[in-house]
C-alpha cells in the first residue's frame, strides 16, 4: 500500500499536473485509490469527484473512491 498526501492545489488549471504525472509513475495499473478530502464542502463532492476522476485518467484502470 502506498500513501500520498497532497496539500491542496487546483487540478482544473493544471496546477497539479506535475504531481499527477509523478503519481502515474508510482501507481500501478488496477490500483484502488481512496481520496480523503479535508477541506471540501459536502455540497461540492459530486463535481469535485468528476474532476478528480478526469485528473487520474492518465493512469491505467485505476479505481477511485471518495471518502465522505
Amino acid at each position: 500500500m502506498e500513501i500520498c498526501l497532497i496539500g491542496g492545489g487546483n487540478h482544473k488549471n493544471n496546477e497539479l499536473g506535475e504531481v499527477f504525472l509523478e503519481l502515474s509513475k508510482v501507481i500501478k495499473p488496477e490500483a484502488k485509490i481512496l481520496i480523503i478530502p479535508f477541506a471540501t464542502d459536502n455540497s461540492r463532492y459530486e463535481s469535485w469527484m468528476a474532476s478528480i476522476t478526469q485528473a487520474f485518467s492518465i493512469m491505467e484502470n485505476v479505481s477511485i473512491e471518495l471518502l465522505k
Side-chain angles (χ1 to χ4, degrees):
M1 174 187 349
E2 303 289 331
I3 296 175
C4 176
L5 303 174
I6 300 172
N10 188 346
H11 50 274
K12 288 183 180 180
N13 68 2
N14 203 30
E15 190 174 305
L16 297 173
E18 290 182 36
V19 172
F20 283 106
L21 183 59
E22 288 301 314
L23 284 175
S24 72
K25 295 174 185 177
V26 176
I27 296 175
K28 297 175 175 84
E30 310 297 327
K32 294 180 181 177
I33 299 171
L34 177 64
I35 306 290
I36 304 172
F38 291 102
T40 301
D41 189 55
N42 289 352
S43 65
R44 297 176 51 199
Y45 274 21
E46 205 168 303
S47 64
W48 197 77
M49 183 61 175
S51 60
I52 283 294
T53 301
Q54 180 184 4
F56 276 97
S57 69
I58 65 171
M59 298 169 208
E60 286 186 53
N61 297 324
V62 295
S63 168
I64 302 170
E65 289 189 49
L66 182 65
L67 184 66
K68 293 187 178 182

